[in-house]
Amino acid sequence: DAGVIQSPRHEVTEMGQEVTLRCKPISGHDYLFWYRQTMMRGLELLIYFNNNVPIDDSGMPEDRFSAKMPNASFSTLKIQPSEPRDSAVYFCASSFSGLAEGTDTQYFGPGTRLTVL
Amino acid sequence: AQKVTQAQTEISVVEKEDVTLDCVYETRDTTYYLFWYKQPPSGELVFLIRRNSFDEQNEISGRYSWNFQKSTSSFNFTITASQVVDSAVYFCALSERNSGNTPLVFGKGTRLSVIA
C-alpha cells in the first residue's frame, strides 16, 4: 500500500511568491495533519482535518497560511506571500479513527523542504 | 498542557554499545498515547512504537526496547548493540485521546551518532 504522498519534495522560491504544498493521505484514513519542522521550534502542528473538515488551525502562524482538504484524498497548504522565515520542512501525516488499538497512529509523508530566498 | 522533554540533545556511541534515549512527558489526562519516531539522515519520519497509557508493559522488538513508567512519567528507548544504521534523530511524542484522534506533541529530539 502507498504511504502518505507529498509534493513537491523540494521547493525553492523567492520572497513574496505563492507556494502550494500538496498531500495525499493513506487511503481510508480520515485524519490529516500538517506539521512544520524548523531548527528553532522543532516539530509543531499547523492544522489538522477530520473527514475533510478543519478541526484545529490554531497552529497556523498567520493569515498568509491557508489549508484546504477538498476531498478525502487530497489536501493543500498554501503560503501567500512567502517569507524567508517560512523556510522549513513541512510534513503531512494521516491516521484512522478506528476502534482497534493503534489505528490512531500517524504515518508521515516524506516532507517538503521549502526554501524561501 | 502537554509537554515532552528529551533532555539529551546529542549522543555519540561506538558501534555495538547499548544506548538509552530518555523521554519525560507531562499531561493532565489519564488516557494518552506515547510514540517514538525515527528520522534518519534522509529526512522522513518513521514510526517505531505506540504505547497506551494503560499498558505499562515493557516492549522489546529485536534490538529495540522501551521502558514505560507512569510513576516517573517516562518512556525511555534503548537500542542494544547499536549499529551505524541506527544513526538518526529520535523523537518522542505524546497525544491525548479525546473524542477522536489528536495531534502529536513532540520532544525536541535526540540525535544519535553511532561510530564504526
Side-chain angles (χ1 to χ4, degrees):
Chain A
D1 288 342
V4 176
I5 298 172
Q6 291 186 248
S7 65
R9 294 292 307 276
H10 301 273
E11 178 81 29
V12 180
T13 190
E14 293 188 348
M15 184 173 62
Q17 296 297 306
E18 177 178 296
V19 175
T20 300
L21 311 182
R22 297 172 175 79
C23 175
K24 177 179 170 57
I26 293 172
S27 178
H29 282 192
D30 54 348
Y31 278 83
L32 184 140
F33 303 81
W34 283 99
Y35 294 90
R36 179 171 68 174
Q37 184 178 30
T38 61
M39 289 296 293
M40 291 298 294
R41 299 175 66 88
L43 278 156
E44 53 183 353
L45 176 78
L46 296 177
I47 185 172
Y48 76 102
F49 296 83
N50 176 220
N51 290 323
N52 315 335
V53 176
I55 304 301
D56 182 356
D57 66 353
S58 59
M60 298 285 262
E62 41 195 281
D63 292 345
R64 298 184 297 106
F65 285 69
S66 62
K68 294 181 180 179
M69 193 164 185
N71 57 62
S73 59
F74 184 65
S75 176
T76 59
L77 177 66
K78 185 176 294 186
I79 308 173
Q80 166 63 19
S82 58
E83 296 183 2
R85 59 188 167 133
D86 302 331
S87 297
V89 179
Y90 291 81
F91 286 101
C92 175
S94 70
S95 66
F96 177 59
S97 62
L99 295 177
E101 185 68 13
T103 57
D104 60 330
T105 296
Q106 292 181 32
Y107 294 93
F108 285 76
T112 295
R113 182 173 296 276
L114 174 65
T115 302
V116 183
L117 303 175
Chain B
Q2 304 168 78
K3 184 179 179 181
V4 176
T5 301
Q6 294 179 258
Q8 305 150 307
T9 305
E10 293 191 33
I11 300 176
S12 183
V13 299
V14 177
E15 201 171 26
K16 297 184 183 178
E17 287 185 351
D18 298 347
V19 58
T20 295
L21 310 182
D22 298 332
C23 173
V24 174
Y25 62 91
E26 296 176 28
T27 178
R28 287 176 290 188
D29 293 290
T30 56
T31 303
Y32 52 90
Y33 305 95
L34 296 163
F35 302 80
W36 278 94
Y37 285 83
K38 175 182 179 179
Q39 187 173 43
S42 52
E44 69 270 28
L45 283 163
V46 179
F47 165 73
L48 295 178
I49 190 171
R50 172 189 180 278
R51 175 60 74 216
N52 184 317
S53 57
F54 294 109
D55 181 5
E56 287 193 72
Q57 277 192 323
N58 293 331
E59 181 157 340
I60 299 174
S61 176
R63 296 183 297 105
Y64 294 173
S65 63
W66 291 269
N67 180 258
F68 176 30
Q69 292 194 348
K70 286 182 76 171
S71 61
T72 56
S73 297
S74 65
F75 186 42
N76 297 336
F77 173 28
T78 297
I79 302 174
T80 302
S82 60
Q83 300 177 0
V84 173
V85 293
D86 296 327
S87 297
V89 180
Y90 292 87
F91 291 95
C92 182
L94 167 73
S95 74
E96 299 170 334
R97 179 70 176 187
N98 295 325
S99 58
N101 296 3
T102 56
L104 296 169
V105 173
F106 286 89
K108 295 296 187 185
T110 297
R111 181 178 300 277
L112 174 65
S113 297
V114 181
I115 304 166

